[in-house]
């Protein structure tokens, strides 16, 4: 997806001692990885992502007269060590207003926010400024005002120890972004980005994925990373996993068979991208389902991308080949109703997941519980079990009858009273929590402001007499977070069965079957196939799924 954000004037300061060992590892990784390639991205990317990237040592950069150099030591209690964080510096105007400053020398985020760490610095005109500082989504914001015209020392170190209102890692809830690529950077710059930006956002795991598009792939720097090189540059604060975005489009970005993330695969599933729309050659005669099955066969995790984008999504969910569903990974395509709620209402178990696609432009992440040492394999296993919640701001906890997210509860005959407890916390007002039963809002609670953050608490009961599911989300019509992104948050469901049977709505099943038939017809009429066997390979995906849905409708007896 094309994303409306800028990466301008990304620069990095480094020291020889800080990077000496890592540079040796990266040199070996580069030699073992694919050949460096250089070409163009579509003009929109060239316009939106103007990168003026440079390396510099602070000792080599003279401080301009009338400027002050600022460094930051940002900690997050109760951690003792300082690390990366996110800052926004504004000029205080004569009337007391705030005008954000564009900074150089640090990694730019959206909405005038910048990632900094101890080794980076910013030079700004000596004036009255206000500095906002945060780290991740569990800290309160600190705002510091300075009159730099009265400061004698022209180089300031600003130490900040941010206060938490939540500590999910202490509860062994671990964050992950399942969909990230980087382009138009050098290998070294991409390495710094992947280490510093997740740390500044308090993001524990990031899957960096390979993808292809001719000729633009020549500037996809993350295609040069391998499982071994990502392991080598992982830190004690950020674990980097390997993946692939396996995809097919009609044209440059038109809807085709769809996009899927194949994560923790031992090697690339080839072809990575399918069809003349992306690869400027070949045919459309290979469904993404083949890649999905290859990834599953090698122990990989399969996540459908971009919500309902793609013709094969319903078919592959119907046949049980998808492990989790991404939404808001690179845009705001679709809604929960378009995918999650419909799949859930025909008895599928659908774990919620998310990411950011190109760069890390938002706080989008999923949280899952992990015991013991944090690993990519453990995190993905918990995601596949449906133990996740997704968010770009609010922290959500949710239980039903004291059972956690992803659980399955057996209902007794007749009416069952279910106790629901949910809590939401966020630095920005997220407007409240909504309890969702089978796709419908059945209870709501509003946020309350408390000591620098917002809280919503739900303690209620619902009576259930039939199979179904419950989940908690924040309202769809919401505020925006610091990166100017619409706030979202949704838990994966807790499931309710009766006599071992899950919910099955035949009307929803019929709608899904009709859509699969329409997708089949579009694939047959639009695809370019070398022969009948190739055509049948694609069309067979829909035929098998339609047949399976017919069987489910018949066996439901409804």
């Amino acid at each position: 997806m094309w994303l409306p954000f800028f990466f301008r004037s990304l620069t990095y300061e480094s020291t020889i001692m800080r990077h000496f060992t890592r540079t040796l590892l990266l040199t070996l990784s580069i030699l073992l990885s694919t050949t460096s390639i250089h070409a163009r991205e579509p003009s929109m990317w060239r316009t939106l992502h103007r990168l003026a990237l440079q390396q510099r040592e602070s000792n080599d950069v003279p401080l301009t007269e009338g400027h002050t150099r600022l460094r930051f030591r940002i900690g997050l209690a109760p951690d003792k060590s300082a690390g990366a964080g996110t800052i926004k510096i504004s000029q205080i105007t004569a009337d007391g207003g705030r005008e954000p400053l564009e900074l150089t020398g640090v990694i730019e985020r959206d909405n005038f926010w910048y990632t900094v760490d101890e080794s980076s610095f910013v030079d700004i005109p000596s004036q009255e400024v206000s500095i906002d500082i945060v780290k991740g989504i569990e800290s309160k914001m600190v705002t510091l005002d300075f009159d730099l015209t009265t400061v004698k020392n022209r180089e300031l170190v600003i130490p900040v120890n941010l206060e938490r209102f939540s500590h999910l890692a202490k509860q062994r809830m671990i964050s992950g972004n399942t969909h990230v690529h980087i382009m138009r950077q050098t290998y070294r710059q991409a390495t710094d980005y992947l280490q510093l930006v997740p740390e500044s956002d308090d993001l524990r795991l990031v899957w960096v994925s390979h993808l292809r598009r001719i000729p633009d792939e020549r500037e996809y720097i993350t295609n040069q990373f391998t499982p071994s090189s990502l392991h080598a540059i992982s830190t004690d604060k950020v674990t980097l996993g390997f993946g692939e975005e396996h995809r097919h489009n009609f044209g440059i970005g038109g809807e085709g068979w769809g996009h899927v993330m194949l994560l923790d695969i031992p090697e690339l599933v080839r072809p990575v991208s399918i069809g003349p729309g992306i690869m400027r050659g070949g045919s459309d005669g290979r469904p993404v389902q083949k890649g999905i099955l290859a990834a599953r066969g090698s122990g990989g995790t399969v996540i459908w991308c971009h919500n309902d984008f793609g013709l094969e999504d319903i078919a592959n969910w119907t046949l049980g080949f998808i492990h989790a569903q991404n939404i808001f990974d690179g845009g705001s395509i679709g809604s929960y109703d378009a995918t999650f709620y419909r799949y859930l209402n025909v008895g599928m178990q659908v774990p919620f997941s998310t990411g950011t696609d190109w760069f890390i432009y938002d706080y989008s992440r999923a949280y899952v519980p992990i015991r013991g040492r944090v690993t990519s394999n453990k995190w993905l296993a918990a995601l596949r079990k449906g133990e996740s919640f997704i968010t770009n701001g609010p922290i959500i906890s949710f239980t039903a009858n004291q059972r956690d997210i992803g659980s399955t509860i057996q209902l007794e005959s007749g009416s069952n009273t279910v106790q629901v407890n949910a809590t939401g916390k966020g630095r920005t007002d997220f407007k409240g929590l909504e309890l969702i039963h089978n796709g419908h809002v059945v209870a709501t609670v509003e946020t309350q402001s408390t000591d620098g953050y917002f809280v919503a608490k739900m303690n209620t009961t619902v009576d259930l007499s039939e199979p179904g599911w419950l989940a908690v989300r924040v309202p769809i019509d919401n505020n925006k977070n610091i990166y100017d992104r619409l706030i979202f948050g949704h838990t994966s469901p807790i499931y309710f069965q009766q006599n071992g049977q899950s919910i099955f709505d035949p009307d929803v099943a019929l709608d899904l079957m009709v859509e699969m038939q329409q997708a089949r017809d579009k694939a047959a009429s639009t695809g370019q196939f070398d022969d009948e066997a190739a055509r049948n390979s694609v069309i067979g995906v829909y035929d098998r799924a339609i047949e399976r849905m017919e069987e489910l409708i018949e066996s439901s007896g409804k």
Side-chain angles (χ1 to χ4, degrees), residues 7 20 37 47 60 71 149 194 196 217 232 242 281 349 353 380 388 417 434 449 452 532:
F7 278 79
F20 177 74
I37 41 184
T47 301
D60 297 334
R71 298 180 184 273
T149 63
L194 289 170
L196 293 180
E217 63 186 11
F242 178 74
Q349 296 204 352
S353 177
L380 291 172
S388 62
T417 299
E434 298 175 339
S449 177
E532 194 64 19

Side-chain angles (χ1 to χ4, degrees), residues 437-513:
H437 176 232
N438 296 352
H440 303 287
V441 178
V442 294
T444 62
V445 62
E446 295 182 352
T447 54
Q448 301 293 325
S449 177
T450 174
D451 192 24
Y453 63 101
F454 294 84
V455 177
K457 293 186 177 181
M458 178 180 291
N459 299 289
T460 189
T461 59
V462 291
D463 291 328
L464 303 181
S465 57
E466 293 181 344
W469 55 273
L470 291 171
V472 172
R473 74 184 188 194
V474 303
I476 303 299
D477 181 17
N478 218 301
N479 294 313
K480 292 184 177 181
N481 63 19
I482 67 167
Y483 295 138
D484 201 34
R485 302 288 170 173
L486 190 69
I487 290 173
F488 68 83
H490 206 304
T491 71
S492 290
I494 295 175
Y495 303 91
F496 296 86
Q497 294 182 342
Q498 197 168 54
N499 299 321
Q501 298 297 310
S502 301
I503 182 176
F504 188 85
D505 186 328
D507 291 333
V508 173
L510 286 170
D511 287 343
L512 293 173
M513 197 160 62

Side-chain angles (χ1 to χ4, degrees), residues 161 167 219 229 276 320 361 453 471 528:
N161 196 32
H167 199 336
E219 294 182 331
S229 64
Y361 63 87
Y453 63 101
Q528 299 178 24

Side-chain angles (χ1 to χ4, degrees), residues 524-541:
S525 62
T526 309
Q528 299 178 24
F529 306 110
D530 290 336
D531 51 38
E532 194 64 19
R535 181 182 184 278
N536 291 339
S537 175
V538 170
I539 301 306
V541 169

Side-chain angles (χ1 to χ4, degrees), residues 3 18 41 90-91 130 145 163 200 206 255 291-292 296 353 418 430 434 446 487 509 519 546:
L3 305 173
R18 175 171 173 248
E41 182 69 2
S90 300
Q91 174 189 359
S130 180
D145 290 348
E163 183 182 353
S200 72
V206 176
E255 185 178 37
I292 290 169
R296 289 177 63 99
S353 177
V418 176
F430 54 94
E434 298 175 339
E446 295 182 352
I487 290 173
I546 290 169

Side-chain angles (χ1 to χ4, degrees), residues 51-233:
L51 305 179
L53 300 166
Q54 55 185 299
Q55 305 289 340
R56 70 186 193 178
E57 298 287 344
S58 61
N59 293 333
D60 297 334
V61 180
L63 181 58
T64 304
E65 185 67 29
H67 283 62
T68 302
R69 178 164 293 170
L70 303 179
R71 298 180 184 273
F72 297 85
R73 291 178 50 85
I74 301 173
L76 185 58
D79 302 336
K80 295 181 180 179
S81 61
T86 315
I87 64 167
K88 184 177 195 174
I89 303 179
S90 300
Q91 174 189 359
I92 299 177
T93 60
D95 61 0
R98 301 292 191 270
E99 293 184 0
L101 300 178
E102 291 190 11
L103 307 180
T104 60
V106 284
I107 302 175
E108 183 178 1
R109 314 298 298 280
D110 273 15
N111 204 27
F112 295 98
W113 287 90
Y114 297 83
T115 285
V116 297
D117 72 342
E118 288 184 274
S119 69
S120 57
F121 65 90
V122 294
D123 293 347
I124 62 173
S126 299
Q127 59 189 316
E128 288 189 67
V129 296
S130 180
I131 306 175
D132 297 322
I133 305 172
V134 297
K135 184 182 180 77
I137 61 176
E138 299 180 73
S139 72
K140 299 179 183 179
M141 183 181 296
V142 166
T143 300
L144 304 173
D145 290 348
F146 293 92
D147 185 351
L148 298 179
T149 63
T150 64
V151 176
K152 293 182 179 180
N153 189 348
R154 294 177 62 208
E155 294 197 24
L156 297 181
V157 177
I158 301 174
V160 177
N161 196 32
L162 297 169
E163 183 182 353
R164 290 181 178 272
F165 56 82
S166 171
H167 199 336
L168 288 179
K170 189 174 182 179
Q171 302 169 37
R172 305 308 299 166
M173 291 294 291
I174 307 300
S175 59
N177 179 327
T178 63
H179 190 171
V180 170
H181 323 283
I182 296 175
M183 50 81 69
R184 286 195 156 216
Q185 294 189 10
T186 67
Y187 196 95
R188 165 63 182 281
Q189 291 159 352
T191 297
D192 282 349
Y193 186 96
L194 289 170
Q195 291 178 327
L196 293 180
V197 171
E199 182 186 336
S200 72
D201 285 0
D202 201 22
L203 180 60
R204 185 65 177 81
L205 292 101
V206 176
W207 280 267
V208 181
S209 293
H210 190 105
L211 76 166
R212 296 201 62 193
R213 183 197 303 276
I214 293 176
D216 309 321
E217 63 186 11
R218 298 177 182 180
E219 294 182 331
Y220 296 172
I221 187 60
T222 37
N223 282 2
Q224 293 190 21
F225 288 91
T226 64
S228 60
S229 64
L230 289 168
H231 176 74
I233 66 173

